Amino acid sequence: MDLPGGPQRDITKIVLPMWGRIASGVVVPFELVDDDGASVEPVNRFLRDFTARGNRAGSVRSYAFVLQRWFRFLLVVGVPWDRATSAETRDLVLWFGQTTKPIAGRRTRSALIAGTVNPVTRKQHLDNEYAPRTIRHNNSVLRAFYQFWIEEGVGPLVNPVPLARPRGRRANAHHNPLEPFRAGGRLRYNPTIPKRKPRAMPDPAWTALFGAMRSDRDRAILVLAISTGARASELLRMRAGDVDWGDQLIRVRRKGTDAEQWLPASPEAFVWLRLYLAALPPLRPGDALWWTLRRNHGLDRPHRTELTYDALRAVLRRANETLGSNWTMHDCRHTCALRMVRDQNLSLRDVQTILGHAHIATTQIYLEDDDAEVIKRVRQHHAERQAIAAAHPALPRQPAAGYDPADMAVLFGTGSVR
């Protein structure tokens, strides 16, 4: 008996080939080409439209890699891209759950600690499994890709990344046929994301991390991050003209919206920023603010280049190796947010503005008590109870009339009843 739902594949035997590569483009920042160097038109035409809608180069690159993996999967299962169904999406999600991410050959130490909990920060190291957020992002990209081609009149008639049908009623039951269908609802094969609480960096840990910085530049960017709550990518995009020394403000361009916003920073941050800039040649207002020295092969002297995100991660990695921790730049943002939320002089609306959240519900996650703070208060409670017990020891009580004290001693193992 043939059952619907597509072929039943052996997911455990699927190995994706090293097909295609992501190449830099001119109009579109990144494109997908096959093994012969030819453009993969279905993907690149979608990325062209995706770029025209104002998306950043990083998002284009992320979408390109997702679609490259999808085409590799279709190549293994032998399904053309325009004949894919929900069965292929389902099998790809199942494949995510049973395989591991490819590990670079140069990765040695991090491969040994993958998935373990750091004893200093009590944070889990990244493991080699595909995270639920990665799978959800993959499904979102594929749905957008096929939605684009369905609107163009090419590809499958039904999007192979289906929505989960609401319980108790039919999807679009009261839809007006004269109006287009509206996108909504969660995707059917999206895994559940475990809820994670933001966690502040304890003051001793922050002091140790700051002390592990090797240069005034690293100290300046770290103090700016923890005093303004700005993301690492937002700080790295700063120009020399984005610093207001008189009012002690910095200007950042928000992730996603690219909106400009002035943020107040701590006086300490401007001290380290001044020390860092004093060692550099004078910068023009349009020059990048953060610089590093690079040594290329064939050059006798290192040359100055803009500090990249990978270079900043290397700074944190060296400090973590010294401290035995796994702090990230985003931990500074969480620490700043939790510190401000606990300040009675700041309202939740103030914190939302500083963090650049579009919705106050996003800021409300910082209202939950940090586990470290709860543990600290419970320990203080136990200590106070122990101090009270030591100051007022319980007096031994005599057994009630009718009970033999010797029998009570045998029963409780003591000479008196407590």
Side-chain angles (χ1 to χ4, degrees), residues 9-79:
R9 303 183 178 95
D10 188 355
I11 304 298
T12 60
K13 295 183 179 180
I14 295 180
V15 178
L16 301 190
M18 300 301 295
W19 173 88
R21 62 182 180 86
I22 306 301
S24 300
V26 180
V27 178
V28 181
F30 298 95
E31 297 178 342
L32 176 61
V33 297
D34 58 19
D35 290 339
D36 298 327
S39 173
V40 182
E41 283 303 313
V43 173
N44 294 333
R45 286 182 58 182
F46 165 73
L47 294 178
R48 189 180 185 90
D49 179 81
F50 186 70
T51 304
R53 284 183 275 141
N55 291 284
R56 296 180 180 275
S59 299
V60 177
R61 180 177 180 270
S62 174
Y63 274 49
F65 275 109
V66 170
L67 293 171
Q68 180 192 37
R69 182 170 53 216
W70 173 247
F71 272 66
R72 287 177 175 178
F73 181 82
L74 295 179
L75 185 64
V76 173
V77 299
V79 176

Side-chain angles (χ1 to χ4, degrees), residues 97-164:
Q98 63 84 37
T99 190
T100 57
K101 293 182 291 187
I103 302 175
R106 64 179 181 276
R107 185 180 175 191
T108 55
R109 182 179 179 274
S110 59
L112 300 176
I113 60 177
T116 62
V117 176
N118 186 278
V120 176
T121 64
R122 296 197 298 275
K123 291 170 45 183
Q124 184 177 4
H125 293 279
L126 294 177
D127 55 22
N128 297 326
E129 310 297 328
Y130 284 97
R133 293 183 183 274
T134 302
I135 302 175
R136 292 170 71 102
H137 174 64
N138 175 89
N139 293 342
S140 177
V141 173
L142 294 183
R143 182 167 179 84
F145 170 73
Y146 279 103
Q147 189 64 33
F148 166 78
W149 281 112
I150 289 173
E151 293 175 356
E152 294 291 322
V154 183
L157 297 177
V158 180
N159 199 312
V161 187
L163 296 174

Side-chain angles (χ1 to χ4, degrees), residues 215-238:
S215 66
D216 294 336
R217 180 206 64 191
D218 300 340
R219 300 183 185 98
I221 196 170
L222 202 66
V223 178
L224 279 177
I226 205 168
S227 63
T228 64
R231 301 176 180 88
S233 59
E234 297 168 349
L235 293 174
L236 291 176
R237 294 178 62 198
M238 288 179 58

Side-chain angles (χ1 to χ4, degrees), residues 235-254:
L235 293 174
L236 291 176
R237 294 178 62 198
M238 288 179 58
R239 307 283 107 180
D242 292 334
V243 181
D244 186 342
W245 296 94
D247 291 334
Q248 293 190 340
L249 302 172
I250 64 170
R251 179 171 54 186
V252 298
R253 290 154 186 85
R254 286 303 186 183

Side-chain angles (χ1 to χ4, degrees), residues 168-363:
R169 62 185 180 89
R170 181 170 55 87
N172 299 304
H174 303 285
H175 173 257
N176 186 346
L178 299 180
E179 297 179 356
F181 285 91
R182 293 182 300 174
R186 65 180 297 271
L187 302 183
R188 180 186 300 175
Y189 299 115
N190 270 359
T192 302
I193 297 180
K195 185 179 180 180
R196 294 184 300 178
K197 293 183 179 180
R199 182 169 176 268
M201 192 183 306
D203 291 342
W206 158 251
T207 303
L209 180 63
F210 181 78
M213 297 295 105
R214 301 181 180 180
S215 66
D216 294 336
R217 180 206 64 191
D218 300 340
R219 300 183 185 98
I221 196 170
L222 202 66
V223 178
L224 279 177
I226 205 168
S227 63
T228 64
R231 301 176 180 88
S233 59
E234 297 168 349
L235 293 174
L236 291 176
R237 294 178 62 198
M238 288 179 58
R239 307 283 107 180
D242 292 334
V243 181
D244 186 342
W245 296 94
D247 291 334
Q248 293 190 340
L249 302 172
I250 64 170
R251 179 171 54 186
V252 298
R253 290 154 186 85
R254 286 303 186 183
K255 175 184 176 183
T257 63
D258 207 31
E260 294 184 356
Q261 182 177 359
W262 289 94
L263 300 175
S266 65
E268 181 186 4
F270 282 89
V271 171
W272 291 109
L273 186 58
R274 174 63 72 185
L275 293 174
Y276 156 65
L277 293 176
L280 293 179
L283 298 178
R284 293 172 297 182
D287 293 340
L289 181 62
W290 309 106
W291 296 88
T292 186
L293 293 178
R294 291 283 185 183
R295 184 182 298 276
N296 289 348
H297 297 290
L299 298 179
D300 296 334
R301 299 172 57 185
H303 64 285
R304 192 179 65 172
T305 60
E306 294 186 20
L307 183 68
T308 63
Y309 186 78
D310 290 336
L312 182 58
R313 287 184 61 187
V315 171
L316 269 294
R317 184 171 60 250
R318 288 191 294 267
N320 284 325
E321 290 176 354
T322 302
L323 302 175
S325 57
N326 60 342
W327 299 116
T328 64
M329 287 295 296
H330 211 68
D331 290 325
C332 295
R333 177 175 170 85
H334 286 318
T335 302
C336 175
L338 289 169
R339 287 178 177 178
M340 289 191 296
V341 165
R342 294 166 187 164
D343 191 336
Q344 297 180 356
N345 297 320
L346 296 175
S347 67
L348 191 63
R349 185 68 178 88
D350 296 333
V351 181
Q352 177 193 3
T353 302
I354 294 298
L355 297 179
H357 290 157
H359 305 285
I360 199 168
T362 308
T363 315

